[in-house]
Amino acid sequence: MDFSLPPHLTELQTKVRSFIREKVIPFESDSRQDSHGPHESLRKDLIDMARAEGLLTPHASRELGGLGLSHVEKAIVFVEAGYSTLGPTAMNIHAPDEGNIHLMEVVANEDQKNRWLKPLVRGDIRSCFAMTEPAPGAGADPSMLNTTAIKDGDDYVISGTKWFITGATGASFAIIMAKLEDGSATMFLSDMDRPGINVVRQMDALDSCFAGGHGVVEFKDLRIPSRDVLGEVGKGFRYAQIRLAPARLTHCMRWLGQAQRAHDIAVEYASTRQAFGVALGTHEGVGYMLADNDMDLHTSRLHIWHTAWLLDQGERGNFESSRAKTVCAEAECRVVDRCVQILGGQGVTSETIVMKIFKDIRAFRIYDGPSEVHRWSMAKKIIAQQH
Ligand SMILES: Cc1cc2nc3c(=O)[nH]c(=O)nc-3n(C[C@H](O)[C@H](O)[C@H](O)COP(=O)(O)OP(=O)(O)OC[C@H]3O[C@@H](n4cnc5c(N)ncnc54)[C@H](O)[C@@H]3O)c2cc1C
């Protein structure tokens, strides 16, 4: 097993690392951010910088203007980007756009690519992905989908309410998951300014790292022409899987970068801050936390690399991506939590970026499948293998 990086990837890693540390991190204190994420003018400035460096939307195919990164290559680049809270926004590799780009490259037709995917890859616009609904609709169990799509002539008429829709405010278009009269699920593409779509409100969330925050979106008799069905009618859940396995893994990568940043800050503090006559890190209680961090970071990295490698071999990797997602979400959250503790009072203030990372990372154990659901689905497969 060869873990060494080929020269082109080492070069790219170095380039992304210096871009993030020298150009993006200074923007972390930019005032154009609030509890619903970076403002559009800040996003545009960051995107322009990444474009100038040739680092914009690197996961998109070369044909579309990206770097055509494989999953393993993404594992190197996205972790570096994640080192800054603004890195994924700058490089146009944040959720939900990153996953939407991946899905649309696989499934969208040429007309849809020209209308929506190309401006998305250029970073000119943002998108959102609308699946989750308030009870009794789809949540951890996506099959509880309540939003309906009724065929009417050449149109589909969509009605329902979605929530937690990341980036809905300010998005130019949405991928909407709705169920047909026969109960099957279909994905639809729609501009956000069509009559019948209303972003009712933004939700107050613990995190503030996604442009546009998280919105409640109402669809009231939204008419979508059948040419705007994404892929084939009735294949919504299959396409959700195409999007989800890689999208889960890229969350693991970006959050690994964030956890590594928090750890580096904690190491620096533990090495220099004195207590009871010695540096903090020489106290066993603190030193062990640093060692535990190192183990959690390394375990996350190995799960990411292995699962990325499987996806590059053409495997669907559903089981492995569930495993990686759960391991990484929990390990990376533990790392950041320990960093808060090591920093003492400063850990819960904005004196360092660690507090923001702590608030931003928590939801990762819930979205793209809560840990419990991944464990439950893995358990079913483990038991099934016995029979
Ligand atoms: C910050 C954030 C961003 C999001 N962005 C988007 C987005 O852009 N688009 C979108 O469509 N959705 C988005 N979501 C929604 C997210 O995918 C859902 O929150 C998630 O699927 C859980 O659904 P729910 O909130 O309805 O929880 P519920 O379905 O009500 O589940 C609640 C809890 O029950 C437990 N549980 C559920 N099933 C099982 C089981 N089988 N075994 C054991 N325990 C179980 C889990 O602990 C779970 O957390 C986002 C959520 C958050 C927090």
Side-chain angles (χ1 to χ4, degrees):
M1 213 173 284
D2 183 3
F3 284 100
S4 61
L5 300 184
H8 80 276
L9 199 47
T10 312
E11 204 178 300
L12 184 59
Q13 182 185 38
T14 309
K15 189 174 172 183
V16 177
R17 187 171 291 179
S18 18
F19 170 64
I20 294 295
R21 290 170 200 226
E22 288 158 27
K23 304 243 166 97
V24 179
I25 286 182
F27 279 86
E28 286 176 350
S29 50
D30 193 292
S31 60
R32 291 170 293 169
Q33 301 176 77
D34 60 26
S35 60
H36 302 299
H39 299 174
E40 187 57 13
S41 73
L42 174 57
R43 189 188 79 87
K44 284 257 157 81
D45 285 354
L46 294 167
I47 292 270
D48 286 346
M49 285 196 320
R51 186 183 295 115
E53 297 283 334
L55 292 176
L56 188 64
T57 329
H59 63 300
S61 62
R62 287 186 177 275
E63 193 193 341
L64 281 176
L67 296 177
L69 298 183
S70 68
H71 295 286
V72 167
E73 289 168 334
K74 280 191 260 182
I76 303 303
V77 170
F78 284 27
V79 173
E80 294 298 333
Y83 201 72
S84 167
T85 52
L86 290 171
T89 302
M91 291 176 61
N92 203 19
I93 55 168
H94 221 336
D97 295 322
E98 182 265 327
N100 289 349
I101 288 169
H102 173 76
L103 173 65
M104 288 178 74
E105 277 224 50
V106 179
V107 176
N109 63 34
E110 279 313 301
D111 177 48
Q112 294 167 344
K113 284 183 181 169
N114 288 329
R115 273 171 74 192
W116 288 300
L117 180 57
K118 288 183 180 172
L120 188 61
V121 169
R122 287 197 300 268
D124 294 343
I125 60 170
R126 290 197 290 101
S127 64
C128 62
F129 184 80
M131 178 143 101
T132 307
E133 303 163 341
D141 179 358
S143 72
M144 290 164 72
L145 204 60
N146 260 345
T147 298
T148 52
I150 309 288
K151 190 99 201 299
D152 182 28
D154 194 38
D155 291 346
Y156 287 88
V157 181
I158 314 276
S159 298
T161 303
K162 304 282 186 180
W163 70 351
F164 297 112
I165 307 310
T166 303
T169 302
S172 294
F173 75 94
I175 299 175
I176 304 162
M177 187 89 147
K179 75 171 179 201
L180 304 181
E181 282 151 294
D182 65 2
S184 67
T186 296
M187 285 188 184
F188 298 89
L189 287 158
S190 173
D191 290 316
M192 286 295 281
D193 58 4
R194 268 203 187 129
I197 300 190
N198 186 16
V199 181
V200 183
R201 64 181 169 95
Q202 281 182 308
M203 305 171 86
D204 280 329
L206 194 57
D207 66 35
S208 59
C209 53
F210 298 99
H214 312 288
V216 179
V217 186
E218 244 174 39
F219 305 112
K220 231 182 203 164
D221 297 333
L222 164 68
R223 296 193 85 86
I224 299 188
S226 52
R227 66 169 187 278
D228 294 345
V229 167
L230 178 58
E232 289 176 41
V233 169
K235 294 212 170 151
F237 287 127
R238 205 169 84 71
Y239 297 152
Q241 286 311 314
I242 293 178
R243 185 182 184 282
L244 272 178
R248 270 178 209 144
L249 203 58
T250 57
H251 272 307
C252 298
M253 298 168 190
R254 291 180 293 257
W255 290 120
L256 176 57
Q258 292 275 280
Q260 182 68 54
R261 173 88 177 278
H263 177 66
D264 290 351
I265 292 169
V267 170
E268 164 74 20
Y269 190 70
S271 313
T272 53
R273 171 70 166 157
Q274 301 279 312
F276 304 97
V278 288
L280 280 182
T282 52
H283 290 288
E284 211 171 62
V286 175
Y288 277 19
M289 282 199 272
L290 295 176
D292 285 341
N293 275 1
D294 181 78
M295 289 186 270
D296 276 339
L297 291 168
H298 196 60
T299 305
S300 301
R301 198 169 294 117
L302 292 177
H303 274 275
I304 291 169
W305 283 1
H306 175 243
T307 311
W309 177 81
L310 279 178
L311 295 182
D312 280 336
Q313 307 309 304
E315 306 254 346
R316 285 176 66 204
N318 281 347
F319 182 88
E320 291 80 4
S321 78
S322 272
R323 186 170 61 193
K325 198 271 178 183
T326 309
V327 168
C328 290
E330 295 180 0
E332 292 162 5
C333 275
R334 278 195 302 268
V335 168
V336 180
D337 183 67
R338 286 188 204 107
C339 294
V340 168
Q341 194 68 19
I342 292 169
L343 287 171
Q346 281 190 80
V348 291
T349 70
S350 57
E351 296 298 312
T352 77
I353 198 80
V354 174
M355 178 181 80
K356 176 165 168 53
I357 297 173
F358 179 79
K359 288 163 76 178
D360 286 346
I361 202 171
R362 179 60 180 84
F364 182 33
R365 282 162 51 199
I366 296 170
Y367 53 66
D368 284 13
S371 293
E372 297 72 29
V373 175
H374 284 299
R375 283 194 170 83
W376 174 69
S377 103
M378 287 172 67
K380 280 196 295 186
K381 286 175 190 151
I382 292 167
I383 298 289
Q385 277 165 6
Q386 284 298 108
H387 301 291

